Amino acid sequence: MPTAPTADHILTARQALTAADPALVRIVDAVPPFEWRLRTGGFEGLFRMIVEQQVSVAAAASIWRRVVEGLGEVTPQAVLARPVEDLRTLGLSGQKARYGHEIARAHVEGHIDFDHLERLDDAEAIAALTAIKGVGLWTAETFLMFCEGRTDVFPGGDVALQEAMRWADRLDDRPTQKQAYARAEAWRPHRSVAAHLLWSWYGAVKRGEISLEAAA
């Protein structure tokens, strides 16, 4: 079962990041200690991420509650036992229902083993996840961070991270996905902690807790 990095691990990572990159010093100073946001892993965790995408937090919670109640248990077998149209009655779009079938089929047919995904390194796990129809790179990377507790994954395509990187480096333009990945290389092997810091900083700016002028 995946476990979240400990408070000591996160603290050590924060210290290493400030030592490696001066641009992160003010971010680390501004972001208080945080706990790792570990979610349910395995098939259920990935299916839930797909279900919750592109809807509000409230809507996502409501739909997922209906899915859990409708399926009884969230397993590949339970999902495959319900036709797409049946899954749609639980609040899923047709596309998300089909993606649920794709993820479940990948596990049942042995293309990916959600019960032992930790046996794969980050690159292998991302390749296995993105080989499933409906699972994009961002989803795979955030799944490894939030559902597997992996500490050196960085979703370079995330717009909020890109914007926070622009502020940190005082750039005129937001970095592209390719540029974000390249920039994050300086933060190995703590890229997931760097992402948490940048997200927290971005959120604080957007909520008005830190002025944009001070951040930029």
Side-chain angles (χ1 to χ4, degrees), residues 1 14 25 28 39 50 63 71 91 121 129 135 149 170 190:
M1 177 178 293
R14 290 169 67 119
V25 172
V28 171
R39 295 165 51 117
I50 295 295
I63 295 170
L71 293 178
D121 65 27
L129 289 165
V135 181
R170 296 180 171 86
H190 306 295

Side-chain angles (χ1 to χ4, degrees), residues 187-210:
W187 304 330
R188 285 183 181 271
H190 306 295
R191 290 180 298 166
S192 297
V193 176
H196 273 74
L197 288 165
L198 289 166
W199 270 321
S200 296
W201 194 49
Y202 176 86
V205 170
K206 288 299 183 180
R207 291 190 299 272
E209 297 166 4
I210 298 174

